[in-house]
Amino acid sequence: MSHVPCNPMANPGSGQGYFEDEALESIWEIRELDGTVLYENLKKAMLSAEQSGRKSNSDRMDIMDGHGLYTLEKGEVKLTEEGDKRARDIIRRHRLAERLFADVLDIQNFEADACRLEHALSHESEQAICTLLGHPPRCPHGKEIPKGECCSVFTRKVSPLTQRLSDTEAGRRARVMFIQGASVDRLGTMGLLPGSVVRLVQKKPAFVIEIDETTVAIDAEIAENIYVKLA
């Protein structure tokens, strides 16, 4: 399913720059899903949200082209280097905002707020939120969060909100925030899903966890890919 851009009329600061961010976000997500971005599919995605009557979508897309954010070749949209960087930044801010609302504030219907926050975050705030969250690899929907400069810095000024299950002290209870790696589906059949509350029984010779009334043994490598928040 392609990205549905935020409603620009819901943002008092809406303008061409805001529209460009939404279009770039849509291009990125369509490319993630389909590999290529057809201009017709992009126009459909942009038309799915209410647009300002001052300029048509085609007029705005023409201005974007003029700003060097994308090229159009035989009906296919391709981001320029500048367009790709800007799209990556807006995607990163949006998905970090989703994690902030879902993990820290425990808000379930967070999309509208994430749409607004993605345009307001400074670079410094974005880095601080990422560090607070423990540099999450994926958003609540399972989509990859592009890495930032802070993700490669090992000395953290803010204690992360999440941590690997492998770093958790035996005997502690924790809520599973997200799981990465190829073991996601297999763990799901065991009841180990984002939102599950588990207790780490032991770490050696194998990791043993309790989920409800079920006891499960997992490898250390899998435990390193399960991110939790202490309960």
Side-chain angles (χ1 to χ4, degrees):
M1 183 176 180
S2 60
H3 169 72
V4 177
C6 308
N7 178 359
M9 296 304 290
N11 188 320
S14 301
Q16 181 63 26
Y18 183 88
F19 174 87
E20 288 173 354
D21 282 348
E22 291 305 313
L24 291 170
E25 192 173 1
S26 290
I27 292 170
W28 183 284
E29 292 213 331
I30 294 171
R31 188 178 65 182
E32 267 186 332
L33 186 66
D34 301 332
T36 58
V37 183
L38 298 180
Y39 187 70
E40 287 303 314
N41 290 342
L42 176 60
K43 286 200 299 184
K44 288 177 183 177
M46 297 308 295
L47 285 169
S48 65
E50 182 181 359
Q51 300 296 322
S52 167
R54 290 175 296 177
K55 287 188 175 74
S56 69
N57 284 328
S58 59
D59 289 341
R60 288 170 178 255
M61 293 302 296
D62 288 343
I63 294 173
M64 277 184 63
D65 191 7
H67 287 174
L69 297 175
Y70 78 92
T71 60
L72 185 60
E73 302 173 10
K74 297 181 180 180
E76 182 180 343
V77 177
K78 293 184 178 181
L79 292 173
T80 63
E81 183 177 352
E82 173 61 26
D84 191 80
K85 179 181 182 302
R86 187 165 156 186
R88 185 181 186 279
D89 288 345
I90 194 68
I91 283 287
R92 173 172 159 79
R93 293 197 301 272
H94 181 86
R95 292 177 182 176
L96 283 173
E98 289 180 325
R99 288 241 71 105
L100 179 68
F101 285 116
D103 299 348
V104 180
L105 303 179
D106 198 25
I107 295 174
Q108 300 304 313
N109 299 319
F110 48 72
E111 281 300 334
D113 288 330
C115 271
R116 285 188 284 268
L117 187 58
E118 72 185 42
H119 300 284
L121 284 177
S122 67
H123 178 68
E124 183 179 7
S125 297
E126 166 210 309
Q127 301 290 304
I129 289 171
C130 186
T131 300
L132 173 68
L133 295 172
H135 309 285
R138 297 188 179 276
C139 74
H141 307 298
K143 297 178 181 178
E144 183 179 352
I145 300 175
K147 293 185 180 299
E149 299 166 6
C150 63
C151 298
S152 59
V153 177
F154 295 98
T155 303
R156 301 175 183 175
K157 295 181 180 179
V158 181
S159 297
L161 176 73
T162 59
Q163 62 186 51
R164 290 182 172 91
L165 181 63
S166 57
D167 296 331
T168 303
E169 183 182 353
R172 295 297 300 269
R173 291 170 59 83
R175 183 180 299 277
V176 177
M177 304 310 297
F178 51 87
I179 303 170
Q180 61 178 349
S183 56
V184 174
D185 291 338
R186 183 165 68 86
L187 293 175
T189 63
M190 303 176 185
L192 191 58
L193 299 165
S196 302
V197 176
V198 303
R199 186 174 78 89
L200 181 58
V201 178
Q202 67 178 47
K203 302 175 72 170
K204 293 181 179 181
F207 281 81
V208 176
I209 56 177
E210 287 181 351
I211 313 169
D212 295 327
E213 297 180 357
T214 303
T215 301
V216 178
I218 58 175
D219 295 334
E221 184 178 354
I222 293 176
E224 290 181 356
N225 289 323
I226 300 174
Y227 287 79
V228 300
K229 179 171 67 173
L230 295 179

